[in-house]
Amino acid sequence: GALAVFRDVTSAAHIPTGSCCATSAGLAAAVRSAPTDGRYFFRASPSDDRQAIVVSDVVIDGPNATNPGDVLFCRNVVILHVDTTYGTPFANSVRAEIMRRESSINVTLVPFPPAESAADFSAQVNALTMARPDCAVAIGYARAIGAIVRGYRNNMSAGPITFIGTDGVYAPALITESSTAALADARITFLGTAPLSRYADLSMATSNYRTFA
């Protein structure tokens, strides 16, 4: 990933590197810890630490701050996250921000491997189902998150849940991976926190997906 490239290659060689979409919070820490003459990484998108604040807003206040300061929108939260230099720091930032603002919320981290190295995601589906959360933050990419959503939907004992998506799952592939049946399931609600997500193309599948996107 971008963090390894900066740390092991470009910084030592004093090669300026720019990125449109490398959002890992670990990059900011790596740049700060680099020698002052080796800080050659620049990006045009904000750190995931900033999106973590938006995610915590939705967890605590609901979409569009529908109930700020009154009833918590989510009381039991699972953070599904890809176990990489992108997903793990992001998940830790979300948990820290939620706990900083509202320590009474129960937060559980459920990591999963990158999709290309995973045979299936049944362990994550089981962990999500057993936790009985009212909300699940989705930090990863469409293939893995879609498979988890599909598996959750296929478990008839699974209760109602709100998935809170992040930038990595803001993609049409989520529809294919999770299935339109899952997106239309009354037990499942999607909300999004990706930048510009409110401007999603209205041709994108169901209204439930557009709420997420």
Side-chain angles (χ1 to χ4, degrees), residues 36 39-40 49 54 64 83 102-103 109 121 139 143 166 174 176 180 183 187 191:
T36 54
R39 297 174 181 176
Y40 286 91
D49 284 342
V54 179
N64 302 313
D83 192 11
E102 186 49 73
S103 60
L109 298 184
F121 299 96
I139 300 174
R143 180 182 170 193
T166 54
L174 182 68
T176 304
T180 53
L183 293 171
R187 295 173 299 164
L191 300 172

Side-chain angles (χ1 to χ4, degrees), residues 23-24 48-49 51-52 55-56 77-95 98 107-115 121 124 136-146 148-149 163-170 191 193 212:
T23 60
S24 172
D48 292 320
D49 284 342
Q51 194 176 174
V55 172
S56 73
V77 180
V78 165
I79 301 177
L80 299 163
H81 70 92
V82 61
D83 192 11
T84 63
T85 55
Y86 160 67
T88 300
F90 194 173
N92 289 334
S93 293
V94 170
R95 177 174 60 178
I98 292 172
V107 180
T108 303
L109 298 184
V110 176
F112 57 86
F121 299 96
Q124 288 74 29
V137 177
I139 300 174
Y141 303 101
R143 180 182 170 193
I145 294 298
I148 294 171
V149 171
F163 285 95
I164 301 171
T166 54
D167 56 344
V169 295
Y170 175 47
L191 300 172
T193 62
F212 159 74

Side-chain angles (χ1 to χ4, degrees), residues 15 37 45 59 74 80-81 86 103 107 110 134 140 142 150 152 167 185 193:
I15 299 173
D37 63 348
S45 53
V59 167
C74 307
L80 299 163
H81 70 92
Y86 160 67
S103 60
V107 180
V110 176
D134 38 27
R150 185 173 66 249
Y152 187 86
D167 56 344
D185 193 309
T193 62

